[in-house]
Amino acid sequence: MKSIAMILVAVLASIGANAQKKVEMRDVLKQMPDTIISYLSTNNKLDMIDFIDSHMKANVTNAFDGTTTLDTLTNDYLKISLTPASTLEMRLLPFGNTWAGAAGQVVCMVVTYGDGVKESEVRFYSTEWNLLSDIDNPISHDKLLRYAASDPAVGGDVHKIGDFLCAEASLSPSDCVLVVKLALPVYVADNKIYTKSLDVSKTFKWDGGAFKEH
């Protein structure tokens, strides 16, 4: 009877240890479905990780015959230069709802497009790559209008510029922080759009369930 109790204790301890085990960013990248970034194959992702581990330049040739580079990879953050005009950032964040991912973690993904005009998309996934649409989006259209209203150049009349407002988001490599910068297109020259940065810059801190203005 005593031996059975000891075995039960060992099994429960093992289950508890596995439940607390954190997923690392390299695992998230390895398991990322090819449909998320369609021109970046599974082999591309694995090769980039191997290059980083070997202290080599993590360049791969993507499906567009262009170069994609894994710039930074830590346990909970990565940054990839997808193309000359697009970047991908991901950060693992602690999450209060354990159903959303292993050990209560969630993946925040920021994809930024553009050269002169930069615009970002922010999405949240479980560590098993299920889209989590219920998490509040810090750069939703109505929020961007509210942020812009405080800029002197806008003068509170945000509805005139709402369709043209550009938001660039970036994740901190070292903390659970998201920074959002706003800009407006002002003129076009040589087939390139130039923007004016607004004075508004918003910093958000992750509180375990959403990014809150800091």
Side-chain angles (χ1 to χ4, degrees):
M1 192 73 173
K2 184 177 180 181
S3 61
I4 294 176
M6 292 177 65
I7 292 171
L8 181 59
V9 169
V11 169
L12 291 174
S14 175
I15 292 172
N18 288 334
Q20 295 302 314
K21 185 179 179 182
K22 299 293 185 181
V23 173
E24 293 189 358
M25 185 55 74
R26 64 177 54 240
D27 302 315
V28 173
L29 180 58
K30 288 177 183 177
Q31 296 164 11
M32 184 170 74
D34 292 350
T35 52
I36 301 291
I37 305 293
S38 59
Y39 51 88
L40 202 59
S41 70
T42 298
N43 286 337
N44 285 154
K45 299 162 203 162
L46 296 176
D47 285 345
M48 287 192 296
I49 293 171
D50 287 342
F51 291 147
I52 283 282
D53 289 342
S54 301
H55 306 288
M56 299 169 60
K57 187 77 171 176
N59 290 341
V60 296
T61 302
N62 58 47
F64 294 154
D65 290 327
T67 299
T68 293
T69 304
L70 176 56
D71 301 300
T72 307
L73 177 64
T74 68
N75 287 342
D76 53 13
Y77 173 85
L78 68 72
K79 183 175 182 180
I80 298 177
S81 297
L82 297 170
T83 70
S86 60
T87 60
L88 164 69
E89 287 184 292
M90 292 197 296
R91 170 166 277 287
L92 281 165
L93 302 167
F95 195 55
N97 293 323
T98 55
W99 55 263
Q105 292 170 287
V106 66
V107 180
C108 178
M109 172 185 284
V110 177
V111 183
T112 301
Y113 305 94
D115 185 6
V117 178
K118 291 189 176 182
E119 292 192 86
S120 299
E121 296 177 359
V122 176
R123 297 192 292 271
F124 297 93
Y125 295 89
S126 73
T127 53
E128 298 174 347
W129 286 105
N130 297 310
L131 182 64
L132 304 177
S133 55
D134 290 339
I135 298 179
D136 192 46
N137 186 347
I139 60 169
S140 62
H141 185 66
D142 59 328
K143 288 184 174 62
L144 295 181
L145 292 179
R146 180 165 56 82
Y147 306 153
S150 63
D151 189 277
V154 176
D157 195 1
V158 295
H159 297 289
K160 288 184 178 180
I161 55 91
D163 292 337
F164 305 101
L165 194 61
C166 303
E168 178 185 359
S170 59
L171 288 163
S172 167
S174 58
D175 203 357
C176 299
V177 169
L178 179 80
V179 176
V180 176
K181 297 178 181 179
L182 302 181
L184 282 172
V186 289
Y187 67 93
V188 179
D190 299 324
N191 295 320
K192 186 174 181 179
I193 301 174
Y194 290 84
T195 60
K196 176 188 183 300
S197 296
L198 300 184
D199 291 335
V200 179
S201 178
K202 296 291 184 180
T203 300
F204 301 88
K205 182 100 174 161
W206 181 255
D207 72 350
F211 277 111
K212 299 296 184 181
E213 193 169 338
H214 186 59

